[in-house]
């Protein structure tokens, strides 16, 4: 948690919480975006298959194949998710992810409201480094960024989705980017078919009551 009486934190927090409290508007969808590293690990020896009354077994030895990036998007009001595997998470990768967001995932939206953290690569300036000015401007106009506060990554609903993905699909050795794409693709397909929204109950009003120590003291409160 941040230091007490932190005006910058609570301002950014309430901005994000107010987004989650909005009525669903397909023309201005609220989506949460982030990335996470995935370690590629494969078995050294073949696994022993399952047998009656015996689970599959694998050797403790493994081989590392480096780290790869996973971009994640979730729309809390609908439960829609999307994942993309990339080799890196540079500014250019972020720019192409944002272009994909507006052109492929939400082409009919007037504007996409994106919740994301303050990572250096997360900026509209990245669009101008990746594309010609006209194209960068077109994509940028369809994006509205809302940044979580420092020490406030828990306010980004994609973290809930990453946690569920890890427990249900990534909690085993995955040795190649192709296998990672297959696994997250299956998870995303099932998740979208079920269409379960995220019930985000923590509001600005709740924050003022439960996290009052984070709010700056008013002049009348000072001694």
């Amino acid at each position: 948690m941040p230091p007490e009486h932190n005006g910058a934190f609570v301002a950014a927090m309430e901005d994000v919480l107010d987004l989650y409290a909005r009525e669903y508007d397909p023309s201005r969808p609220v989506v949460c975006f982030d990335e996470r590293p995935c370690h590629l690990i494969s078995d050294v020896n073949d696994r022993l298959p399952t047998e009656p009354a015996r689970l599959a077994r694998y050797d403790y030895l493994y081989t590392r194949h480096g780290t790869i990036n996973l971009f994640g998007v979730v729309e809390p009001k609908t439960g829609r998710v999307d994942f993309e595997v990339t080799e890196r998470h540079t500014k250019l990768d972020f720019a192409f992810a944002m272009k994909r967001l507006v052109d492929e995932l939400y082409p009919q939206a007037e504007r996409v409201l994106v919740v994301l953290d303050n990572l250096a690569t997360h900026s509209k300036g990245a669009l101008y480094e990746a594309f010609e000015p006209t194209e960068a401007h077109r994509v940028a106009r369809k994006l509205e960024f809302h940044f979580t506060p420092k020490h406030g990554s828990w306010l980004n609903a994609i973290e809930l989705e990453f946690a569920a993905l890890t427990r249900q699909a990534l909690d085993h050795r995955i040795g190649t980017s192709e296998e990672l794409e297959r696994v997250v693709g299956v998870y995303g397909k099932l998740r979208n078919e079920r269409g379960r929204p995220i019930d985000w109950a923590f509001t600005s009003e709740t924050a003022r009551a439960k996290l009052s120590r984070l709010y700056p003291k008013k002049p009348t409160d000072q001694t």
Side-chain angles (χ1 to χ4, degrees):
M1 296 296 288
E4 295 184 2
H5 315 310
N6 190 317
F9 182 94
V10 297
M13 175 179 68
E14 291 202 355
D15 177 56
V16 171
L17 294 179
D18 287 349
L19 282 182
Y20 292 157
R22 288 188 179 188
E23 292 293 328
Y24 176 62
D25 181 357
S27 69
R28 297 174 65 86
V30 174
V31 305
C32 301
F33 173 91
D34 204 359
E35 60 270 306
R36 58 152 287 180
C38 292
H39 301 284
L40 299 179
I41 299 174
S42 65
D43 295 319
V44 172
N45 300 311
D46 293 337
R47 299 190 178 195
L48 298 178
T50 57
E51 297 178 1
R54 176 175 290 179
L55 298 174
R57 291 172 292 171
Y58 59 90
D59 199 310
Y60 69 92
L61 295 174
Y62 58 86
T63 301
R64 293 183 180 275
H65 301 286
T67 303
I68 203 164
N69 178 63
L70 180 64
F71 285 128
V73 174
V74 63
E75 186 180 357
K77 291 292 185 182
T78 64
R80 178 185 181 182
V81 301
D82 183 81
F83 300 100
E84 182 184 13
V85 177
T86 63
E87 291 186 5
R88 300 171 300 277
H89 56 93
T90 65
K91 285 184 179 181
L92 295 185
D93 296 303
F94 173 76
F96 280 98
M98 290 298 100
K99 185 176 186 299
R100 180 169 177 267
L101 183 68
V102 301
D103 288 348
E104 298 181 28
L105 301 185
Y106 294 94
Q108 303 305 319
E110 296 176 5
R111 180 165 293 188
V112 183
L113 284 58
V114 188
V115 176
L116 67 173
D117 63 27
N118 282 282
L119 196 65
T121 56
H122 295 171
S123 73
K124 290 187 178 181
L127 299 172
Y128 287 85
E129 295 186 27
F131 311 119
E132 293 297 323
T134 301
E135 177 67 356
H137 183 253
R138 180 189 69 82
V139 176
R141 288 187 64 185
K142 291 196 67 175
L143 294 168
E144 183 178 307
F145 288 168
H146 294 260
F147 294 99
T148 58
K150 187 178 180 180
H151 306 296
S153 61
W154 54 274
L155 288 163
N156 193 336
I158 189 60
E159 299 301 330
L160 300 174
E161 205 62 49
F162 276 148
L165 172 66
T166 300
R167 290 194 307 270
Q168 299 179 33
L170 302 183
D171 192 19
H172 66 283
R173 294 173 183 174
I174 297 176
T176 66
S177 60
E178 292 78 13
E179 175 65 7
L180 179 61
E181 289 177 348
R182 187 192 69 79
V183 170
V184 298
V186 170
Y187 174 89
K189 181 175 183 296
L190 293 174
R191 178 76 168 86
N192 290 331
E193 287 175 352
R194 293 170 182 171
R196 294 179 180 175
I198 295 175
D199 183 16
W200 190 279
F202 193 71
T203 65
S204 294
E205 290 73 19
T206 307
R208 292 167 195 166
K210 293 188 175 182
L211 301 178
S212 59
R213 65 181 180 82
L214 299 182
Y215 285 76
K217 288 185 177 181
K218 298 183 290 296
T220 55
D221 297 332
Q222 295 176 353
T223 59

